[in-house]
């Protein structure tokens, strides 16, 4: 579910909360029956899979591998292509913009696995009670999730606008005015401003995942801890938080993926500027590919991005595989 | 599947039911209400801005209510700004992509959930893994593929790509749901002489309707809100969906915040309506992927 990465396409990759998952124990039997069904017609599953798999291979799996090949060429995308070995990767290591973008992705990643996780968990704990209005509060906090990144970018460009934008005019009103802070124009601030806007959208999503996880925490465990005299904080730390651990893993994986996918807000709010100081790998490759027509180089950047996220994707898939094989 | 029947009890509800003044509750509201209002300030003020005249924005600054309500901003965004075209394009892309994706993914999910065959898990994990990719890795090859197929700068490029890419997530969710359907149902159908296609169409699909509804809500939002692929695959203005359309509007109406936000408000109407009326499904969809 993470598609939601502050960016457009499916942001949150849908990795729903594990916690939401019912345990599938009763299906053991169903699986046995399925197996029986399968002996009669081996080819049936392939018939059902043919079309979806063909489409997926053509637009997703194939292109993924093709990017690796492209990164070894100097192609401009359409007219020519020559094998250049690892030249693109050698160039990348010595490219200052690459390192600036790389570190911006790292900043994004660090902020994304801390702020929305803590904030989202806090809000989930707070709103996980039956008081009048909690539904409305949840919806309000979650609502930025349904806005497209174009909308988020428009709204936050006005928030950050130096003349009469939300923040600067509020500072004025409070008497801290004077200097107009260029939230998106200051080379040191721009990337943090963008990450701030992205975080605003991410927190509600994380909150939602934790809320689903909390529903699976047995209230009697918490009650028991309290009866034993544990404080709220201790019962959270020793009972609830450990039980939420699988949910936290998912939240972190989603946030990492979303941080690595960062593109839309950068493209819309600063175009990587000023002086590439708010650039990220996802946008840098777009510029190299579509503005400088260095598609081979762009592909190399994409491969680096992919390899970084592979570490996290595999961690996640391995956990899932273990669950699959267990039952 | 789990998500539909989760008990509503807040597990962290304070166990103590102390008599006396509910300080904790009061504290809760004292925090959450201001927090929520501040959280939504960017949205409230954007709405406010869309109703003001440019002169008022320049003269009176950010924190001022409209002196007279300027509905004309919406008209200008809709016609001159091109929102009417952009909105239509978004629907033209989203609806076929959504329907195609749901149909194809339920087929794939059926095969993966119901049959044990070589490569089952591998295919399943391919779908899941693809969902998690940083999609930039697909950007250049997909651009090239669309060009080679003569689909670049057409609706079809977007429709086909979204249909394909979203297959991963939808198959993942549906497969996990379908595994929870008891095998007896299939057995009974088979004894009645139904073939697999009928079992799929008459039993599995109807049983999967709640999951499909949740997925549809979620996927509609995702496809409708896509900015990245619209930027990569469609260039001419008259084909742009509302996301990249807003992007152009941000360029054209630089500093004409009122018209820009009028356009923005129009652009969010479909997803906001969906969220307000189908919130339950939307949230189910998000938490459903979990299936294990």
């Amino acid at each position: 579910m993470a598609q939601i990465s502050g960016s457009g396409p499916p942001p949150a990759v849908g990795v729903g909360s594990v916690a939401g998952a019912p345990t599938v124990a009763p299906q053991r039997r169903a699986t046995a029956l399925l197996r029986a069904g399968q002996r009669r017609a081996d080819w049936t599953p392939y018939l059902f899979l043919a079309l979806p798999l063909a489409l997926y291979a053509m637009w997703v799996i194939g292109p993924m591998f093709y990017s690796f090949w492209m990164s070894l060429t100097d192609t401009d995308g359409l007219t020519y292509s020559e094998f250049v070995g690892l030249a693109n990767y050698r160039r990348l290591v010595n490219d200052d913009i690459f390192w600036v973008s790389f570190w911006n992705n790292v900043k994004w990643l660090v902020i994304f696995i801390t702020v929305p996780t803590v904030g989202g968990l806090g809000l989930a704990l707070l709103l996980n009670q039956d008081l009048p209005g909690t539904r409305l509060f949840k919806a309000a906090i979650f609502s930025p999730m349904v806005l497209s990144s174009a909308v988020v970018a428009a709204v936050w460009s006005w928030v950050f606008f130096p003349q009469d934008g939300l923040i600067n005019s509020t500072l004025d009103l409070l008497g801290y005015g004077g200097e107009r802070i260029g939230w998106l124009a200051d080379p040191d601030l721009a990337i943090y401003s963008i990450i701030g806007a992205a975080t605003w959208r991410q927190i509600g999503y994380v909150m939602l995942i934790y809320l689903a996880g909390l529903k699976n925490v047995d209230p009697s465990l918490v009650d028991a801890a309290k009866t034993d005299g544990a404080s709220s904080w201790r019962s959270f730390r020793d009972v609830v938080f450990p039980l939420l651990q699988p949910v936290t893993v998912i939240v972190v994986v989603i946030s990492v993926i979303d941080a690595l996918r960062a593109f839309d807000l950068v493209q819309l709010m600063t175009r990587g500027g000023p002086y590439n100081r708010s650039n990220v790998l996802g946008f840098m490759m777009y510029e190299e590919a579509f503005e400088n027509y260095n598609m081979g180089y762009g592909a190399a950047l994409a491969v680096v991005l992919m390899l970084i996220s592979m570490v996290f994707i595999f961690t996640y898939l391995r956990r899932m595989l273990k669950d699959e094989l267990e039952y | 599947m789990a998500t539909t029947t989760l008990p509503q009890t807040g597990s962290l509800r304070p166990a103590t039911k102390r008599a006396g003044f509910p300080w904790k509750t009061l504290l809760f509201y004292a925090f959450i209400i201001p927090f929520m209002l501040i959280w939504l300030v960017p949205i409230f003020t954007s709405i406010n801005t869309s109703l003001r005249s440019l002169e008022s924005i320049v003269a009176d600054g950010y924190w001022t209510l409209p002196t007279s309500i300027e509905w004309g901003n919406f008209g200008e965004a809709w016609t001159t700004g091109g929102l009417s075209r952009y909105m239509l394009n978004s629907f033209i892309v989203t609806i076929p992509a959504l329907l195609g994706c749901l149909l194809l993914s339920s087929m794939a999910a059926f095969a993966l959930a119901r049959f044990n065959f070589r490569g089952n898990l591998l295919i399943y994990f391919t779908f899941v893994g693809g969902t998690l990719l940083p999609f930039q890795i697909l950007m250049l090859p997909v651009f090239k593929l669309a060009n080679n197929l003569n689909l670049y700068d057409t609706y079809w490029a977007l429709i086909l790509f979204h249909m394909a890419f979203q297959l991963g997530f939808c198959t993942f969710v549906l497969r996990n749901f379908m595994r929870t359907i008891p095998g007896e149902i299939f057995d009974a159908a088979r004894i009645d002489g139904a073939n697999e296609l009928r079992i799929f169409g008459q039993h599995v699909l109807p049983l999967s309707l709640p999951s499909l509804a949740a997925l549809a809500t979620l996927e509609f939002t995702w496809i409708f809100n896509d900015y990245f692929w619209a930027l990569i695959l469609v260039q001419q203005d008259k084909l742009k969906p509302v996301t990249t359309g807003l992007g152009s509007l941000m360029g054209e109406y630089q500093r004409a915040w009122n018209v820009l936000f009028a356009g923005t408000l129009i652009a969010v109407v479909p997803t906001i309506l969906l969220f307000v009326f189908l919130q339950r499904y939307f949230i189910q969809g998000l938490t459903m992927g979990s299936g294990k």
Side-chain angles (χ1 to χ4, degrees), chain A residues 49-60:
Chain A
L49 274 169
L51 201 53
L53 208 54
L55 199 67
Y56 203 66
M58 179 171 175
W59 290 94
V60 181

Side-chain angles (χ1 to χ4, degrees), chain A residues 1 3-4 8-18 20-22 27 29-30 33-35 37-38 40 44-46 48-49 51-53 55-56 58-61 63-64 66-67 77 123 125-126 128-132 134 137 140-142 146-151 154-155 157-158 161 164-166 169-170 173 200 203 205 208 212 214 216-217 219 223 240 257 261-264 267-268 282 285-286 289-290 295 299 302 305-306 309 313 316-317 320-321 324-325 327, chain B residues 2 6-8 10-13 15 25 28-29 31-33 35-36 39-43 46 49 57 62-63 104 107-108 110-111 113-118 121 123-128 130-145 147 149 160-161 164-169 172 175 179-180 183-184 186-187 190 196-197 200 222 225-229 231-232 243 246-247 250 255 257 261 264 268 271-272 275 279 282-283 286-287 289-292:
Chain A
M1 331 241 152
Q3 150 148 135
I4 288 206
V13 169
V15 188
S17 66
V18 152
Q27 272 68 59
R29 244 176 97 201
L33 289 170
L34 296 190
R35 222 171 272 137
Q38 165 254 344
R40 333 175 105 212
T44 326
Y46 300 105
F48 276 97
L49 274 169
L51 201 53
L53 208 54
L55 199 67
Y56 203 66
M58 179 171 175
W59 290 94
V60 181
I61 303 303
M64 182 189 83
Y66 193 74
S67 266
L123 286 167
L125 289 169
L126 205 59
N128 190 41
Q129 33 184 341
D130 296 323
L131 288 173
T134 43
F137 303 141
I141 291 163
F142 177 70
V146 302
L147 306 179
S148 70
S149 39
V151 172
V155 168
S157 298
W158 183 211
F161 195 61
D164 298 328
L166 172 79
S169 6
T170 310
L173 282 179
W200 178 68
I203 286 185
Y205 178 49
L208 202 74
L214 281 171
N216 285 19
V217 172
D223 288 352
V240 180
I257 291 172
R261 284 177 171 183
F263 174 88
D264 297 10
Q267 201 266 345
L268 284 156
M285 71 160 293
Y286 171 83
F290 290 107
M295 294 234 176
L305 201 58
M306 161 109 177
S309 52
I313 296 179
Y316 179 73
L317 289 184
M320 257 178 82
L321 185 64
E324 281 298 325
L325 296 179
Y327 99 92
Chain B
L6 291 173
Q8 287 297 311
S11 37
L12 289 188
R13 191 174 354 150
T25 309
F28 167 74
Y29 286 110
F31 170 76
I32 200 74
I33 292 176
F35 179 84
M36 183 187 74
W39 197 247
L40 295 181
V41 154
I43 293 178
S46 299
T49 302
I57 295 174
Y62 194 89
W63 287 106
L104 292 176
M107 285 164 58
F110 177 67
R114 175 149 163 66
F115 300 94
N116 265 330
F117 56 93
R118 272 179 73 85
L121 267 191
I123 294 173
Y124 172 61
F125 275 90
T126 307
F127 277 119
V128 180
T131 310
L132 300 166
L133 289 177
F135 33 68
Q136 280 91 355
I137 191 80
L138 309 179
M139 176 170 100
L140 303 178
V142 164
F143 168 76
K144 200 175 149 116
L145 179 63
N147 268 293
L149 296 173
L160 285 173
F161 180 79
F165 189 73
Q166 297 302 339
L167 269 180
F169 179 64
F172 165 63
R175 177 263 194 190
R179 289 189 81 162
T180 64
E184 287 84 349
F186 302 121
D187 276 2
R190 207 180 308 118
E196 296 301 331
L197 195 63
F200 174 67
W222 285 350
N225 280 349
D226 162 64
Y227 178 80
F228 185 78
W229 294 104
L231 189 71
I232 305 296
T243 47
L246 267 186
M250 279 175 83
R255 311 211 170 175
W257 297 105
F261 284 119
T264 305
V268 299
T271 47
I272 292 284
F275 179 62
Q279 199 189 127
F282 191 93
I283 290 174
L286 271 184
T287 47
S290 61
K292 171 162 247 229

Side-chain angles (χ1 to χ4, degrees), chain B residues 81-98:
Chain B
L83 255 284
S84 53
R85 184 73 227 175
Y86 299 146
M87 283 293 260
L88 182 67
N89 292 337
S90 279
F91 283 102
I92 292 177
V93 167
T94 306
I95 289 172
L98 176 67

